[in-house]
Amino acid sequence: MISDYFDFLKKVANKNPDVVKFRLIKEFIGVNKGFIRFALEMRDGTELHIFEYVDSGLHKIDYSYHWQNKEKKLIKRWDNATHHKEIETFPHHLHKGEDIMSSAEPTFVDILKKIGDRINKK
């Protein structure tokens, strides 16, 4: 099941018209848990770094979707690190520049859509 999910993530990334390069960094699939880390170069030169650590029920234990510009500066990062307890949606939150905001737990597909919408507005 974890293997199928990771294959799905890779397929979605590779078929997205806004993605010009896919780079798998690390993948581990165990009996009860697995993680995947990969990076995408987007057609506008920005990069999206993806990390998901899931259990056998495909619940995200830990995740980060880090979007950065050509100069490697953060545009946005969605994650569930437990360092912002003041956020209403704790542990889920969004870094937008220096600002920390509430955010529902996104999916990789949601993130690609948001980034694609912004790229295609330019």
Side-chain angles (χ1 to χ4, degrees):
M1 187 164 358
I2 294 171
S3 177
D4 292 339
Y5 175 63
F6 289 173
D7 286 346
F8 167 77
L9 294 178
K10 292 182 278 190
K11 183 177 180 180
V12 167
N14 281 303
K15 290 190 176 270
N16 187 289
D18 295 314
V19 174
V20 296
K21 186 176 180 184
F22 172 91
R23 182 170 51 96
L24 181 64
I25 298 167
K26 195 165 190 176
E27 181 176 17
F28 168 79
I29 300 168
V31 175
N32 296 314
K33 295 179 182 168
F35 66 84
I36 188 167
R37 183 179 301 272
F38 57 96
L40 305 177
E41 182 181 328
M42 309 306 287
R43 67 181 173 84
D44 67 347
T46 61
E47 292 182 348
L48 177 61
H49 294 260
I50 297 92
F51 172 73
E52 288 194 15
Y53 176 43
V54 299
D55 64 20
S56 59
L58 302 182
H59 170 263
K60 283 187 266 184
I61 298 165
D62 193 12
Y63 69 88
S64 174
Y65 307 103
H66 179 97
W67 187 30
Q68 63 189 29
N69 67 19
K70 295 174 190 177
E71 291 77 35
K72 311 283 187 216
K73 294 197 184 214
L74 176 68
I75 299 171
K76 291 183 180 179
R77 182 176 64 249
W78 297 262
D79 68 68
N80 67 339
T82 58
H83 54 244
H84 291 290
K85 294 181 180 180
E86 74 281 4
I87 299 295
E88 179 182 324
T89 55
F90 176 81
H92 312 287
H93 59 279
L94 166 66
H95 297 257
K96 186 175 181 182
E98 298 294 317
D99 298 325
I100 311 297
M101 308 172 171
S102 295
S103 175
E105 180 179 352
T107 66
F108 174 59
V109 172
D110 293 336
I111 299 302
L112 272 184
K113 169 104 173 75
K114 289 174 195 266
I115 292 171
D117 288 349
R118 181 155 163 197
I119 288 172
N120 292 309
K121 281 184 183 177
K122 294 180 179 179

